[in-house]
Amino acid sequence: MIERIFILKRTKIFGELPHDVLGSLAAHMEEVRLEPDEVLYKRGDLGRSLFIVVDGRVRVHVEDETVAELGPDQILGEVTALTSEVRRETVTAEEETRLLRLDQDVLYELMAGRPAMSRGIIKVLVERLT
């Protein structure tokens, strides 16, 4: 639990949240482990979770074209976790990778009444657009 709180604290979305909120968030996250070349999700899948890379690397791609490579403390899937749209890219592990998953219903519940969390999400989305 303490490791999860430290990981959350290092992210742009959750970094400014108070310790007690981070604790609640950490308690609702599930660990996901991937082997090299294992797919986390595919283009066209319904998105209802966001992920934080704990260690390892993932490749975000559309067919053979790499869109991004993400490593520790980076977040993916946040847009579709908010909108319930289908995933636009496929995400594949480049090496052994450990992630934390946060499902949409928990995200919405924790965002309610927590402007700092909403600001963090907006900040990350704006950075992705620029």
Side-chain angles (χ1 to χ4, degrees), residues 75-89:
I75 295 173
L76 60 146
E78 69 283 350
V79 172
T80 54
L82 291 169
T83 62
S84 298
E85 293 179 2
V86 296
R87 306 278 188 186
R88 296 182 186 151
E89 302 93 8

Side-chain angles (χ1 to χ4, degrees), residues 7-8 11 14 29 51-54 74-75 98-100:
I7 292 164
L8 291 168
T11 66
F14 306 115
M29 298 187 93
F51 299 86
I52 301 170
V53 179
V54 176
Q74 292 186 294
I75 295 173
R98 186 168 54 118
L99 306 103
L100 294 176

Side-chain angles (χ1 to χ4, degrees), residues 42-58:
K42 295 179 185 175
R43 179 182 175 141
D45 289 350
L46 182 63
R48 297 190 50 86
S49 302
L50 67 78
F51 299 86
I52 301 170
V53 179
V54 176
D55 39 54
R57 293 196 72 68
V58 297

Side-chain angles (χ1 to χ4, degrees), residues 90-108:
T90 298
V91 175
T92 305
E94 293 277 285
E95 57 191 57
E96 285 188 19
T97 303
R98 186 168 54 118
L99 306 103
L100 294 176
R101 183 181 79 214
L102 180 65
D103 293 329
Q104 183 185 62
D105 56 340
V106 175
L107 179 63
Y108 282 167

